[in-house]
Amino acid sequence: MTKLSVNINKVATLRNARGGNMPDVLKVAQDCERFGADGITVHPRPDERHIRRSDVYALRPLLRTEFNIEGYPSREFIDLVLKVKPHQVTLVPDSPTQLTSNAGWDTKAHFTFLGEVLDVFNQAGIRTSVFVSTDAEMIEYAAKAGADRVELYTEPYASAYAQNKEEAVAPFVEAAKVARRLGLGLNAGHDLNLENLNYFYQNIPWLDEVSIGHALICDALYLGLERTIQEYKNCLH
């Protein structure tokens, strides 16, 4: 069964736009769980433009499903994750000012750095995932560095889906096979939505987890959060 982890960054963005606590990020996270989400994802950035460090600390004791913290492994990020001890940490190569994740790691070029960081988290008992493209070599070096899982960056699939979905998914199927051969768990995320998620799942049914935020929150504006989460979960059957 592929799990749905809801990224609540956009909820925090809306809250921060006006100050105060509307919407309540903690309550939304708990509601997502109540409505069927299998996990919650947050991506705290240095400028705290959406999820704040205080949110991360406050969420940990409240959540009953899997908690996934993603981000660039700066010293501050590493310290935060080690204190909070989520179920999973996902390493992304984002710069501090980056709007959103838009590429996977060059795991070969950053092999030593990633290996050192992954070792720290592995010793702490936190499952590790590395954000990668479909390049087989990048997946292989993630495995060599000590990752438990890789997360496939799916924006290229989403962008090409409408033109030719078979061609769009093909490199991801091959990448997923490489990950499985290497004994890696497999996550996916970025621009997956109600239109393209089920086809992706049909072609890679051994996915462990998809992490979805922007599209899901946008759909919730029209459908409501509870129905939206159920619609996304229905895509994973």
Side-chain angles (χ1 to χ4, degrees), residues 60-154:
R60 185 64 179 98
L62 297 178
L63 299 181
R64 298 293 176 262
T65 60
E66 286 208 349
F67 191 22
N68 172 47
I69 302 177
E70 62 181 30
Y72 178 81
S74 65
R75 184 70 258 170
E76 293 76 15
F77 178 83
I78 293 171
D79 289 343
L80 174 66
V81 173
L82 290 177
K83 288 175 182 175
V84 174
K85 290 201 171 177
H87 301 88
Q88 177 176 268
V89 58
T90 301
L91 306 184
V92 296
D94 294 2
S95 71
T97 59
Q98 203 160 317
L99 181 63
T100 187
S101 303
N102 63 5
W105 282 96
D106 184 334
T107 53
K108 186 175 182 180
H110 297 95
F111 177 74
T112 301
F113 172 64
L114 287 172
E116 292 172 352
V117 173
L118 290 168
D119 186 57
V120 169
F121 291 136
N122 288 332
Q123 288 191 35
I126 302 168
R127 186 174 67 236
T128 54
S129 180
V130 175
F131 200 57
V132 295
S133 69
T134 56
D135 187 316
E137 187 176 38
M138 297 301 103
I139 298 170
E140 289 166 359
Y141 271 86
K144 291 177 183 177
D148 297 310
R149 295 184 181 182
V150 289
E151 178 174 331
L152 297 179
Y153 169 54
T154 48

Side-chain angles (χ1 to χ4, degrees), residues 28-43:
V28 171
Q30 291 178 292
D31 286 340
C32 286
E33 291 185 316
R34 186 163 58 88
F35 297 151
D38 305 298
I40 299 296
T41 292
V42 295
H43 186 152

Side-chain angles (χ1 to χ4, degrees), residues 6-34 39-44 48-60 62-63 67 217 225:
V6 177
N7 186 318
I8 58 171
N9 277 20
K10 286 300 185 293
V11 178
T13 301
L14 183 59
R15 175 200 61 190
N16 295 353
R18 286 284 297 269
N21 195 38
M22 184 181 293
D24 184 331
V25 170
L26 304 184
K27 183 178 185 303
V28 171
Q30 291 178 292
D31 286 340
C32 286
E33 291 185 316
R34 186 163 58 88
I40 299 296
T41 292
V42 295
H43 186 152
E48 296 194 322
R49 65 179 180 269
H50 33 63
I51 288 292
R52 300 168 181 155
R53 293 172 66 88
S54 59
D55 295 326
V56 181
Y57 287 114
L59 282 165
R60 185 64 179 98
L62 297 178
L63 299 181
F67 191 22
I217 299 304
L225 186 59

